[in-house]
Amino acid sequence: MSKTPQSRIWIANGLGMLSRYNWRKIAEAIALPVGALLFSLILFGIFCAFCGKNPFAVYGLIYKSAFGSWRSFQGTLLRAAPLMLTALCTALPARLGLMIIGNEGALVMGGLGAIAAGLLLSYGSITPSPEQLQNVSGIPSAGVLLGMALAGIVAGGLWIAVVGALRHYRAVNETISSLLMNYIAIALMNHLVGGPIKDPGETIKASSFSLPEMNRLINLPTTRIHYGLFYGLIACVIAYFLIQRTTFGFAARTAGGNVKAARIAGLPVGKLTVMICFLAGSCAGLAGMAEVAAVHGRVNESLVAGYGYTGILVAFVARYNPIACTLVAVLLGGILSSGGALQRTLDMPDATALVFQGLVFLVILFSESLYGRFRVFKEPIAPIAAPPLPPSSSTTVSA
Amino acid sequence: MRNIRSIYVPRRQVIRGLLATAAFGATSKLWTGCSSDSATSNSTTESGSGTGSSDQPLVLGFLYVGAKDDYGWSQAHALGVKEIGNLPGVKIVEQASVPETKDVQEVMRSMIDEDGATAIFPTSFGYFKPHILEMAKQYPAVQFFHCSTLWEAGMPENIGNYYADTDEGQFVAGRVAAQTTKTGKLGFVAAKPVNPVIRNINSFIMGARSVKPDVKIQVIFTGDWLEPVKEEQATNSLADQGVDVIGVHVDSPKVVIETAEKRKIFSSGYHADQTDLAPKGYLTGTTFYWAEFYKNYVDMIKAGKKVMDGSIPRVIQGSMKEKYIKLAPFGPAVSEAAKKDAEDAEAKIADGSLLVYTGEIKDNTGKVRIPKGTAYKMTDPVLDKIDWLAEGVQGSVS
Amino acid sequence: MAAEAIGWWGVPLGILAGTLRSSAPFLFVSLGECLTEKSGKINLGLEGTLLMGAMSAYAISYLGSEKWGMSPAASPWIGVLVAGCAGMVLGFIHAWLSQQPKVNDIAVGIAMIIFGSGVAFFLGKPFIQPQAPQLPFFELGRLMSNVPAVQSALQISPLFLIGVGLAPLMSWFFKSTRPGLFIRAVGDSPDAALAMGVSIKKVRMLCIIAGSFLAGIGGAYLSLVSPGSWNEGISSGQGLMAVALVIFARWNPVQCLWASLFFGGTQAVGPALQAVGVDSGIYLFNAAPYVLTLLIMIITCSPKRTLSGAPGALGTISG
C-alpha cells in the first residue's frame, strides 16, 4: 500500500509528459557521441604524448583551427560541403539494402557532365576555338549554372543507375561493380582531358577548357563559402523527406527490408532500385558540378580528391540518415581542417591527420554498440499502479 | 509508452547528431566575439608592416602536394626549405600532402591569417590555377612565389615565379646515355604527357642524338605521378625490348632505378642523387638544388624587396649555370671519355655557346618544330608551349 | 647485357611476367578476405592492412640488416613474419569492433583503411629513402632460356608459390576439415553453428585475424618482392580491388587464385603495349583490368540464380 498515491500519480504523469520528449534517449543521443569524441581525443592525446607533443596544446589547436572562430569554421564548412552530397550516394541506396561505393566515380562523371554543359552554354562548344573563347554567349550565368547542375545530376545519376540496373537485371554485385566503375570513370576523365576535350593552352596539367569567370558558382555574401554548401544541405533535407515521408521512400524502405515481401506486395523493385541509384548518383554528380563550378572552373585530375571515399564513411557514421550526414560531414570537415594546423604549428607529419581521423571514426563506430547499455539512459519501468495518461497526451502516433 | 518510443526511433540519430554538432557550432559562434577579432587584427598588422622590422621573424609558408619525405619532388623542395629554416630571423610554416582542391586556398589563408606568413611558396604546379590566382587577389599585400613560369600579364602583381629548367641537365645526361648504350635503344618511364615531362624526354633524346644520331628512345607513360607497380612493369617491359638505359620522370624514381639495377641495365635519375640505389647501373641524373632559390628569396624579402614593385624579379629562372640544377656524380659505368664529354658540354652550356633548343629540331612525325637558324634560350616562354615529342622518340602524347 | 629485341613477343611475355610478378598481393589479400567472408564478416580494411604489412616488412628488413646485425638473408623473412603479425593486430581491432552489437562491419572496414594507412604512413616516414634487403627469387628462367627477358619474367618468388599452394589448401580446408565446416556453418547459418556448439564470436575473431595475417603478408610481398620498395603509393587500391575479387571469385579459394592471376596479368597490358609502340589512350589501357572484370561479371551473372557460395550471413546491412 502506497502512502502517497497522489505524488506517485504526479511522478508518473510527469514521467509520461517527459517521456513524450524521450529525454533519456535525447541525453543518450548527446552523451554517447560526445563521449566517443572525448574518448577518441584522449586516445589521440596519448598518441601525441608518445610523439613528444603536449596533448593539451594539440586539443587547443584542434578546437581553434576547426571550430574556434567564424573564419576557421568557414573552412570547416567548406570542406564539409562536397562530403554531404557524396555521403548521400551511399546513404540512399543503403535504405534499399544496396552497398554502393561508387561515389568517387559519380562525382567525376558529374564534373565531366557539368563542364561539358557549362562550356557548351558559355561558348557553344566543348573545345572552343580562340574566336569562340572571345565571345561568351548571352545566356545569363544563372541559366548556365542551372544547365551545369542538371548535366552533373544526370551524368552522375546515370552512372550509378547503371550499377542499379546491373544489380537488378543481371544480379551483378553492386559493391564491386560500383568500385570498378570508380576506376573506369577516373580513367575516362583522364583520357578525355588528355585528348578529346583538352585545352591546348594548358601545358602543365592536362585539363579541359575553363569556364568563363562570370559563369562560376559564387560565394555567399561576406563569406568564402560557396553555394555548393546549400546544395548539400538542401539535398540532404530533400533526401530525408523523400525517404521518411513519401510513399516512394516507404516503398524503398520496404523493399530494403525484404525484397520478397516487397515483390509480393506488388512493388516495382527493379524500377525502385534504378531510381534510387539514379538519385544517389545524382547527388554525387552534383558534388562534382559544385567542385567544377565553384572551385576548379574546369576538369582535371584534381577533381579526384577522395571526397567520394570519405563520403562513404560519412554515410556510415550517420547511419544512412541524410540529416545526420550533414552533421557528420561538418565534424569531418573540422577534423580535416585541424589536421593541417597540427602540421603547421606543431610540426607533426602529414599522416597524423589520418591517424586522428581513423581513431575518431573507430571510436564513434564503437559507441554505436553502447546504445541501451547504460542504466542511466534506460526508461524506468513505469509504476504498476500508475493510471493511464490523460487523453490529451496519449494521442500519439504509431508509425 | 511503447508507441511513444516508436516515433523516436527513426529520429534518434538525427537528434543525436544534431545536438552534438549544434554544440560545436554554438560554442564556435559564441567564441567568435573574443577570439576572431583579435586574431584578424593581429594578422593584418603583421602582414602590413611586419616585413621590414627585425624584431619579428620573417614567416614563410610552404605547401607541398606530397609527403615531405616522398624521395621526389616534394622532398627536393623540403630539403631546400630545411636549409633556410636555420637562418636567423626566419620562421618556416610547412604543410605537406595538400590536395589541389579548395584545401590549398584554405591552407594558404591559415598560413597568412593565423601564422602571419608574408610570403607563400606553393610548390606544386597544380596549385597555380585557380588557387594561387584567387588568393593573390584576396591578399594583395602578401607575396606568392610559385614554382613554375606560369605568370602572364594581367594576373595579380603579387605573384612571382621561380623555376629551375632541367632541359640542360637532361641534355647532358642524354649524351652520357648515348655513349653508354650498346643497343642504341633508350627508354623513358614518364608520369604524364605534360610540358615539363615532355621537355625532359625531348632534351634527353636530343642530347643522345647529338652524340649518336640513330639512337631511339621508347617512352612509357604510367598515367600518374606515383604508380610504383606500373613503374616497375614499365621498366621491365622496356628492358624486355632491349632498352639498356632508362631515364625517368615520375614523382619518386626509386622503383624505376632499383628495377633497372635488378635487370642489369643502366639508369639516369631525376630529382636527387640516386647513386646509392643502383651502385652499378646508375649513370648520372638531373638533380635540383632549390635551396639556392630559397636563400636568395630570404635575402631579398629581408631587404624589404617586393615582387609587386619590381624589386624582386617576376621570374627567377635558371639552370646549370646558376647551380639550380646539377648533374649527380657519375656512376662507375660511365667511361672516362663520356665524363670528359659531359664536363665539356656543361662548360659550353654554362658559357652560353651551347643552346639545347637550337634548330633544326623535328618532332617524331617529321614536322619541323624549330627551324634552322632559330635557337631558344632556356628562359624563352615558347618552350613552355612544347607539346610534341622530338625526333627519335617512340611514343605519343595523347 | 646484349639483349636482342623481342618485339611483339614482349606483349605476351610482359603479361606473363606481370601475372607472375604482381598478382601475389591480390592473391594473399583475396585469400585472407575469402577466409574472413566465409565466416560471415566483411573486412574492407585490408587495404590498410596491406599498407601496414608493406611498411612493417620493409622496416624490419631494413632495420634488421642495417641496425640489428641480422644477416641480409634472414631479415626480409623476419620482415614477412612481422608484417603478418602487424596485420593480425589490425585484424584483431577489426574483429573486436565489428562484432559489437549494432556496429556495421563495412563501416569499420573503411575506418580501418584510414587508420591502418595513417599508422603505416606515420611510422613509415624514415623508411621511404633507405634500401632494404629483398626476398630471394627462384631463377626458374635460368634453366629454360638464355634470353634475359624470359629469365627475368620467370623469376618466381617463393612467397608467390606459397600463395599458390595456399589456395587449394584453403579450399580443402573448407570442404574437408572440421574447423572448415565450423567456419562455413558460422558464415552460412549462425543458428545452426550455435546448435553445433560453436562459438560464433571466437570463430569469426580467428578468421578475421588469420585473414589479416595473410593480407599483411601480401603487403610484405609488395615492399620486399615487387615493386620491392616502400612508399605511400605502394598499394594504390590493390587491397580494395582484392576484396572485390573475392566476390568475383564466388568465395572459392581456387577461383581467387585464377582471379588474382587474371587481374595481375591485365595490369601489365598497358605498359607492355606501350613498350612496343601502341601508345594512344594510355588511360583507357590502364583501365582495362576494371573494364574486363566488369564485363566478365555482367556476362556470368544472372538474376535467375543466386550467387553460389555466398555465405548466408554476409553483407546483411542494417541501419
CSV table of all heavy atoms in Angstrom, one decimal, chain A residues 20 29 33 67 71 78-79 203 205 224 245 295-296 298 302 321 327 340 343-344 350 371 379, chain B residues 5 8 11 14 16-18 21 28 95-97 100 103 106 109-110 114-115 129-130 195 384:
chain,number,residue,atom,x,y,z
A,20,ARG,N,7.4,11.9,-23.4
A,20,ARG,CA,7.0,12.2,-24.8
A,20,ARG,C,8.1,12.8,-25.5
A,20,ARG,O,8.3,12.7,-26.7
A,20,ARG,CB,5.8,13.3,-24.7
A,20,ARG,CG,4.5,12.6,-24.8
A,20,ARG,CD,3.4,13.6,-25.2
A,20,ARG,NE,3.5,14.7,-24.3
A,20,ARG,CZ,3.0,15.9,-24.5
A,20,ARG,NH1,2.5,16.1,-25.7
A,20,ARG,NH2,3.0,16.9,-23.6
A,29,ALA,N,21.6,10.2,-26.8
A,29,ALA,CA,22.0,10.6,-28.1
A,29,ALA,C,23.0,11.7,-28.1
A,29,ALA,O,23.8,11.8,-29.0
A,29,ALA,CB,20.8,11.0,-29.0
A,33,PRO,N,27.8,10.2,-28.5
A,33,PRO,CA,28.7,10.7,-29.5
A,33,PRO,C,29.7,11.6,-28.9
A,33,PRO,O,30.9,11.6,-29.2
A,33,PRO,CB,27.9,11.3,-30.6
A,33,PRO,CG,26.5,11.3,-30.1
A,33,PRO,CD,26.4,10.5,-28.9
A,67,PHE,N,36.8,24.8,-35.1
A,67,PHE,CA,35.6,25.5,-34.7
A,67,PHE,C,35.8,26.8,-34.0
A,67,PHE,O,34.9,27.4,-33.5
A,67,PHE,CB,34.8,24.5,-33.9
A,67,PHE,CG,34.6,23.2,-34.5
A,67,PHE,CD1,35.3,22.1,-34.1
A,67,PHE,CD2,33.6,23.0,-35.5
A,67,PHE,CE1,35.1,20.8,-34.7
A,67,PHE,CE2,33.4,21.8,-36.1
A,67,PHE,CZ,34.2,20.7,-35.7
A,71,ARG,N,35.9,32.4,-38.8
A,71,ARG,CA,36.7,32.2,-40.0
A,71,ARG,C,37.3,30.8,-40.2
A,71,ARG,O,37.3,30.2,-41.2
A,71,ARG,CB,37.8,33.2,-40.2
A,71,ARG,CG,39.0,33.2,-39.2
A,71,ARG,CD,40.2,33.9,-39.8
A,71,ARG,NE,40.7,33.2,-40.9
A,71,ARG,CZ,41.4,32.1,-40.9
A,71,ARG,NH1,41.7,31.6,-39.8
A,71,ARG,NH2,41.9,31.6,-42.0
A,78,LEU,N,33.4,24.6,-45.6
A,78,LEU,CA,33.8,24.4,-47.0
A,78,LEU,C,34.2,23.0,-47.3
A,78,LEU,O,33.9,22.5,-48.3
A,78,LEU,CB,35.1,25.3,-47.2
A,78,LEU,CG,34.9,26.6,-47.9
A,78,LEU,CD1,36.2,27.3,-48.0
A,78,LEU,CD2,34.4,26.3,-49.3
A,79,ARG,N,35.0,22.4,-46.3
A,79,ARG,CA,35.5,21.1,-46.6
A,79,ARG,C,34.3,20.1,-46.4
A,79,ARG,O,34.3,19.0,-47.0
A,79,ARG,CB,36.6,20.7,-45.6
A,79,ARG,CG,37.9,21.4,-45.9
A,79,ARG,CD,38.9,21.2,-44.8
A,79,ARG,NE,40.2,21.6,-45.1
A,79,ARG,CZ,40.7,22.8,-44.7
A,79,ARG,NH1,40.0,23.6,-44.0
A,79,ARG,NH2,41.9,23.1,-45.1
A,203,THR,N,49.6,23.6,-70.5
A,203,THR,CA,50.6,22.6,-70.8
A,203,THR,C,51.1,21.9,-69.6
A,203,THR,O,51.8,20.9,-69.7
A,203,THR,CB,51.8,23.2,-71.6
A,203,THR,OG1,52.2,24.3,-70.8
A,203,THR,CG2,51.4,23.7,-73.0
A,205,LYS,N,49.3,20.9,-66.9
A,205,LYS,CA,48.4,19.9,-66.3
A,205,LYS,C,47.3,19.7,-67.3
A,205,LYS,O,46.5,20.6,-67.6
A,205,LYS,CB,47.8,20.5,-65.0
A,205,LYS,CG,47.1,19.5,-64.2
A,205,LYS,CD,46.8,20.1,-62.9
A,205,LYS,CE,46.4,19.0,-61.9
A,205,LYS,NZ,46.1,19.6,-60.6
A,224,ARG,N,33.4,33.0,-47.4
A,224,ARG,CA,34.1,32.4,-48.5
A,224,ARG,C,33.5,31.0,-48.8
A,224,ARG,O,34.1,30.1,-49.4
A,224,ARG,CB,35.6,32.3,-48.2
A,224,ARG,CG,36.0,31.8,-46.9
A,224,ARG,CD,37.5,31.8,-46.8
A,224,ARG,NE,37.9,30.7,-45.9
A,224,ARG,CZ,38.0,30.9,-44.6
A,224,ARG,NH1,37.6,32.0,-44.0
A,224,ARG,NH2,38.4,29.8,-43.9
A,245,ARG,N,9.1,10.4,-45.6
A,245,ARG,CA,7.8,10.9,-45.6
A,245,ARG,C,7.0,10.7,-46.9
A,245,ARG,O,5.9,11.2,-47.0
A,245,ARG,CB,7.9,12.4,-45.4
A,245,ARG,CG,8.3,12.9,-44.0
A,245,ARG,CD,7.2,12.9,-43.0
A,245,ARG,NE,7.6,13.4,-41.7
A,245,ARG,CZ,8.1,12.6,-40.8
A,245,ARG,NH1,8.3,11.4,-41.0
A,245,ARG,NH2,8.5,13.2,-39.6
A,295,VAL,N,35.1,25.7,-57.6
A,295,VAL,CA,36.5,25.7,-57.1
A,295,VAL,C,37.4,25.7,-58.3
A,295,VAL,O,38.3,26.6,-58.5
A,295,VAL,CB,36.7,24.4,-56.3
A,295,VAL,CG1,38.2,24.4,-55.8
A,295,VAL,CG2,35.8,24.5,-55.1
A,296,HIS,N,37.3,24.7,-59.2
A,296,HIS,CA,38.3,24.5,-60.2
A,296,HIS,C,38.0,25.3,-61.5
A,296,HIS,O,38.9,25.7,-62.2
A,296,HIS,CB,38.5,23.0,-60.6
A,296,HIS,CG,38.8,22.2,-59.4
A,296,HIS,ND1,40.1,22.2,-58.9
A,296,HIS,CD2,38.1,21.3,-58.7
A,296,HIS,CE1,40.1,21.4,-57.9
A,296,HIS,NE2,39.0,20.8,-57.7
A,298,ARG,N,37.2,24.1,-64.1
A,298,ARG,CA,37.5,23.2,-65.3
A,298,ARG,C,37.6,21.8,-64.7
A,298,ARG,O,37.5,21.6,-63.5
A,298,ARG,CB,38.8,23.6,-65.9
A,298,ARG,CG,39.9,23.7,-64.9
A,298,ARG,CD,41.2,24.3,-65.5
A,298,ARG,NE,42.2,24.2,-64.5
A,298,ARG,CZ,43.5,24.4,-64.8
A,298,ARG,NH1,43.8,24.7,-66.1
A,298,ARG,NH2,44.4,24.4,-63.9
A,302,SER,N,42.7,17.0,-60.5
A,302,SER,CA,42.4,17.5,-59.1
A,302,SER,C,41.0,17.2,-58.6
A,302,SER,O,40.8,17.3,-57.4
A,302,SER,CB,42.6,19.0,-59.1
A,302,SER,OG,43.9,19.3,-59.5
A,321,ASN,N,21.3,8.2,-42.3
A,321,ASN,CA,20.3,9.2,-42.2
A,321,ASN,C,20.8,10.5,-42.8
A,321,ASN,O,21.8,11.1,-42.4
A,321,ASN,CB,20.1,9.5,-40.7
A,321,ASN,CG,19.0,10.4,-40.4
A,321,ASN,OD1,18.9,11.5,-41.1
A,321,ASN,ND2,18.1,10.1,-39.6
A,327,LEU,N,25.6,16.7,-40.5
A,327,LEU,CA,26.4,17.0,-39.2
A,327,LEU,C,27.7,16.2,-39.2
A,327,LEU,O,28.7,16.8,-38.8
A,327,LEU,CB,25.5,16.7,-38.0
A,327,LEU,CG,24.2,17.5,-38.1
A,327,LEU,CD1,23.2,17.0,-37.2
A,327,LEU,CD2,24.5,19.0,-37.8
A,340,GLY,N,45.7,20.1,-40.8
A,340,GLY,CA,46.7,21.0,-41.3
A,340,GLY,C,47.4,21.8,-40.2
A,340,GLY,O,48.6,22.0,-40.2
A,343,GLN,N,50.2,20.1,-38.5
A,343,GLN,CA,51.4,20.1,-39.2
A,343,GLN,C,52.1,21.4,-39.1
A,343,GLN,O,53.3,21.5,-38.9
A,343,GLN,CB,51.1,19.9,-40.7
A,343,GLN,CG,51.0,18.5,-41.2
A,343,GLN,CD,51.0,18.5,-42.7
A,343,GLN,OE1,51.9,18.9,-43.3
A,343,GLN,NE2,49.9,18.0,-43.3
A,344,ARG,N,51.3,22.5,-39.3
A,344,ARG,CA,52.0,23.8,-39.4
A,344,ARG,C,52.5,24.3,-38.1
A,344,ARG,O,53.6,24.8,-38.0
A,344,ARG,CB,50.9,24.8,-39.9
A,344,ARG,CG,50.5,24.7,-41.4
A,344,ARG,CD,49.9,26.0,-41.8
A,344,ARG,NE,48.8,26.4,-40.9
A,344,ARG,CZ,47.5,25.9,-41.0
A,344,ARG,NH1,47.2,25.1,-42.0
A,344,ARG,NH2,46.6,26.3,-40.2
A,350,ASP,N,52.4,14.7,-41.9
A,350,ASP,CA,51.0,14.8,-42.5
A,350,ASP,C,50.1,13.6,-42.2
A,350,ASP,O,48.9,13.7,-42.2
A,350,ASP,CB,51.2,14.9,-44.0
A,350,ASP,CG,52.1,13.8,-44.6
A,350,ASP,OD1,52.8,13.2,-43.9
A,350,ASP,OD2,52.0,13.6,-45.8
A,371,TYR,N,24.6,1.9,-27.2
A,371,TYR,CA,23.2,2.4,-27.0
A,371,TYR,C,22.4,1.4,-26.2
A,371,TYR,O,22.4,0.2,-26.6
A,371,TYR,CB,22.5,2.7,-28.4
A,371,TYR,CG,22.9,4.0,-28.9
A,371,TYR,CD1,24.0,4.0,-29.8
A,371,TYR,CD2,22.3,5.2,-28.6
A,371,TYR,CE1,24.5,5.3,-30.3
A,371,TYR,CE2,22.7,6.4,-29.0
A,371,TYR,CZ,23.8,6.4,-29.9
A,371,TYR,OH,24.3,7.6,-30.4
A,379,GLU,N,14.7,3.8,-19.9
A,379,GLU,CA,13.4,4.2,-19.4
A,379,GLU,C,13.2,3.4,-18.2
A,379,GLU,O,13.3,2.2,-18.2
A,379,GLU,CB,12.3,3.9,-20.4
A,379,GLU,CG,12.4,4.6,-21.7
A,379,GLU,CD,12.1,6.1,-21.6
A,379,GLU,OE1,11.3,6.4,-20.7
A,379,GLU,OE2,12.6,6.9,-22.3
B,5,ARG,N,7.7,5.7,-27.9
B,5,ARG,CA,9.1,5.5,-28.2
B,5,ARG,C,9.2,5.2,-29.7
B,5,ARG,O,10.1,5.7,-30.4
B,5,ARG,CB,9.7,4.3,-27.5
B,5,ARG,CG,11.2,4.2,-27.6
B,5,ARG,CD,11.7,3.1,-26.8
B,5,ARG,NE,11.3,3.2,-25.4
B,5,ARG,CZ,11.3,2.2,-24.6
B,5,ARG,NH1,11.7,1.0,-25.0
B,5,ARG,NH2,11.0,2.3,-23.3
B,8,TYR,N,10.2,7.9,-32.1
B,8,TYR,CA,11.5,8.5,-32.0
B,8,TYR,C,12.6,7.6,-32.6
B,8,TYR,O,13.6,8.1,-32.9
B,8,TYR,CB,11.8,8.8,-30.5
B,8,TYR,CG,11.1,10.0,-30.0
B,8,TYR,CD1,9.9,9.9,-29.4
B,8,TYR,CD2,11.7,11.3,-30.3
B,8,TYR,CE1,9.3,11.1,-29.0
B,8,TYR,CE2,11.0,12.4,-29.9
B,8,TYR,CZ,9.8,12.3,-29.3
B,8,TYR,OH,9.2,13.4,-28.9
B,11,ARG,N,14.3,8.8,-35.6
B,11,ARG,CA,14.9,10.2,-35.5
B,11,ARG,C,16.1,10.2,-34.5
B,11,ARG,O,16.7,11.2,-34.3
B,11,ARG,CB,13.9,11.1,-35.0
B,11,ARG,CG,12.9,11.4,-36.1
B,11,ARG,CD,11.9,12.4,-35.6
B,11,ARG,NE,10.7,12.3,-36.3
B,11,ARG,CZ,9.5,12.8,-35.9
B,11,ARG,NH1,9.5,13.5,-34.8
B,11,ARG,NH2,8.5,12.6,-36.6
B,14,VAL,N,19.2,11.5,-35.8
B,14,VAL,CA,19.1,12.9,-36.2
B,14,VAL,C,19.4,13.7,-35.0
B,14,VAL,O,20.3,14.6,-35.1
B,14,VAL,CB,17.7,13.2,-36.7
B,14,VAL,CG1,17.7,14.6,-37.2
B,14,VAL,CG2,17.2,12.2,-37.6
B,16,ARG,N,20.6,13.0,-32.3
B,16,ARG,CA,21.9,12.7,-31.7
B,16,ARG,C,23.0,13.6,-32.4
B,16,ARG,O,23.7,14.4,-31.8
B,16,ARG,CB,22.3,11.3,-31.9
B,16,ARG,CG,23.6,10.9,-31.3
B,16,ARG,CD,23.8,9.4,-31.4
B,16,ARG,NE,24.2,9.0,-32.7
B,16,ARG,CZ,23.8,7.9,-33.3
B,16,ARG,NH1,22.9,7.2,-32.7
B,16,ARG,NH2,24.2,7.6,-34.5
B,17,GLY,N,23.0,13.5,-33.7
B,17,GLY,CA,24.0,14.2,-34.5
B,17,GLY,C,23.7,15.7,-34.4
B,17,GLY,O,24.7,16.5,-34.2
B,18,LEU,N,22.4,16.1,-34.5
B,18,LEU,CA,22.1,17.5,-34.5
B,18,LEU,C,22.6,18.2,-33.2
B,18,LEU,O,23.3,19.2,-33.3
B,18,LEU,CB,20.5,17.6,-34.5
B,18,LEU,CG,19.9,18.9,-34.8
B,18,LEU,CD1,20.0,19.1,-36.3
B,18,LEU,CD2,18.5,19.0,-34.3
B,21,THR,N,26.5,18.4,-32.9
B,21,THR,CA,27.3,19.4,-33.7
B,21,THR,C,26.7,20.7,-33.4
B,21,THR,O,27.5,21.7,-33.5
B,21,THR,CB,27.2,19.0,-35.2
B,21,THR,OG1,26.8,17.7,-35.4
B,21,THR,CG2,28.5,19.3,-35.8
B,28,SER,N,31.4,27.6,-31.2
B,28,SER,CA,32.3,28.3,-32.1
B,28,SER,C,31.7,29.7,-32.3
B,28,SER,O,32.5,30.7,-32.4
B,28,SER,CB,32.4,27.6,-33.4
B,28,SER,OG,31.2,27.6,-34.1
B,95,GLN,N,53.2,22.8,-44.7
B,95,GLN,CA,52.1,21.8,-44.7
B,95,GLN,C,52.3,20.9,-45.9
B,95,GLN,O,52.4,21.4,-47.1
B,95,GLN,CB,50.7,22.4,-44.7
B,95,GLN,CG,49.7,21.4,-44.5
B,95,GLN,CD,48.3,21.9,-44.1
B,95,GLN,OE1,48.3,23.0,-43.5
B,95,GLN,NE2,47.3,21.2,-44.3
B,96,ALA,N,52.3,19.6,-45.7
B,96,ALA,CA,52.5,18.6,-46.7
B,96,ALA,C,51.2,17.9,-47.0
B,96,ALA,O,50.2,18.0,-46.3
B,96,ALA,CB,53.6,17.6,-46.3
B,97,SER,N,51.2,17.2,-48.1
B,97,SER,CA,50.0,16.4,-48.6
B,97,SER,C,48.8,17.3,-48.7
B,97,SER,O,47.7,17.0,-48.2
B,97,SER,CB,49.7,15.2,-47.7
B,97,SER,OG,50.8,14.3,-47.7
B,100,GLU,N,45.1,19.3,-54.4
B,100,GLU,CA,44.9,20.5,-55.2
B,100,GLU,C,43.4,20.9,-55.3
B,100,GLU,O,42.8,20.9,-56.4
B,100,GLU,CB,45.5,20.3,-56.6
B,100,GLU,CG,47.0,20.2,-56.5
B,100,GLU,CD,47.7,19.6,-57.8
B,100,GLU,OE1,46.9,19.2,-58.7
B,100,GLU,OE2,48.9,19.6,-57.8
B,103,ASP,N,41.2,23.1,-50.5
B,103,ASP,CA,42.1,23.0,-49.4
B,103,ASP,C,43.4,23.9,-49.5
B,103,ASP,O,43.8,24.4,-48.5
B,103,ASP,CB,42.7,21.5,-49.3
B,103,ASP,CG,42.0,20.8,-48.2
B,103,ASP,OD1,40.8,21.1,-47.9
B,103,ASP,OD2,42.6,19.9,-47.6
B,106,GLU,N,42.5,27.3,-48.4
B,106,GLU,CA,42.3,27.3,-47.0
B,106,GLU,C,43.7,27.3,-46.3
B,106,GLU,O,43.9,28.0,-45.3
B,106,GLU,CB,41.5,26.1,-46.6
B,106,GLU,CG,40.0,26.3,-46.9
B,106,GLU,CD,39.4,27.5,-46.3
B,106,GLU,OE1,39.5,27.8,-45.1
B,106,GLU,OE2,38.9,28.3,-47.1
B,109,ARG,N,45.4,30.6,-46.6
B,109,ARG,CA,44.7,31.5,-45.8
B,109,ARG,C,45.1,31.4,-44.3
B,109,ARG,O,45.4,32.4,-43.7
B,109,ARG,CB,43.2,31.3,-46.0
B,109,ARG,CG,42.4,32.5,-45.5
B,109,ARG,CD,40.9,32.0,-45.6
B,109,ARG,NE,40.5,31.8,-47.0
B,109,ARG,CZ,40.1,32.8,-47.8
B,109,ARG,NH1,40.1,34.0,-47.4
B,109,ARG,NH2,39.7,32.5,-49.0
B,110,SER,N,45.1,30.2,-43.9
B,110,SER,CA,45.5,29.9,-42.5
B,110,SER,C,47.0,30.4,-42.2
B,110,SER,O,47.3,31.0,-41.2
B,110,SER,CB,45.4,28.5,-42.1
B,110,SER,OG,44.1,28.0,-42.3
B,114,GLU,N,46.7,33.1,-39.6
B,114,GLU,CA,47.0,32.6,-38.3
B,114,GLU,C,48.5,32.6,-37.9
B,114,GLU,O,48.9,32.9,-36.8
B,114,GLU,CB,46.4,31.1,-38.1
B,114,GLU,CG,44.9,31.1,-37.9
B,114,GLU,CD,44.4,29.7,-38.1
B,114,GLU,OE1,45.2,28.7,-38.1
B,114,GLU,OE2,43.2,29.6,-38.3
B,115,ASP,N,49.3,32.2,-39.0
B,115,ASP,CA,50.7,32.1,-38.7
B,115,ASP,C,51.5,33.4,-39.1
B,115,ASP,O,52.6,33.5,-38.8
B,115,ASP,CB,51.3,30.9,-39.4
B,115,ASP,CG,50.5,29.6,-39.1
B,115,ASP,OD1,50.1,29.5,-38.0
B,115,ASP,OD2,50.2,28.9,-40.1
B,129,LYS,N,46.6,27.5,-60.8
B,129,LYS,CA,45.3,27.9,-61.3
B,129,LYS,C,44.3,27.0,-60.8
B,129,LYS,O,44.4,25.8,-61.1
B,129,LYS,CB,45.4,27.9,-62.9
B,129,LYS,CG,44.1,28.5,-63.6
B,129,LYS,CD,44.4,28.3,-65.1
B,129,LYS,CE,43.1,28.6,-65.8
B,129,LYS,NZ,43.2,28.4,-67.2
B,130,PRO,N,43.2,27.4,-60.2
B,130,PRO,CA,42.9,28.8,-59.8
B,130,PRO,C,43.3,29.2,-58.5
B,130,PRO,O,43.1,30.4,-58.1
B,130,PRO,CB,41.3,28.7,-59.8
B,130,PRO,CG,41.1,27.3,-59.3
B,130,PRO,CD,42.2,26.4,-59.8
B,195,ASN,N,53.9,19.3,-70.3
B,195,ASN,CA,55.1,20.1,-70.8
B,195,ASN,C,56.4,19.8,-70.1
B,195,ASN,O,57.4,19.4,-70.8
B,195,ASN,CB,54.8,21.6,-70.8
B,195,ASN,CG,55.9,22.4,-71.2
B,195,ASN,OD1,56.7,22.8,-70.3
B,195,ASN,ND2,56.0,22.7,-72.5
B,384,ASP,N,57.7,26.8,-73.0
B,384,ASP,CA,56.6,26.3,-72.1
B,384,ASP,C,55.4,25.8,-72.9
B,384,ASP,O,54.5,25.3,-72.3
B,384,ASP,CB,56.2,27.4,-71.2
B,384,ASP,CG,57.3,27.9,-70.3
B,384,ASP,OD1,58.2,27.0,-70.0
B,384,ASP,OD2,57.3,29.0,-69.9
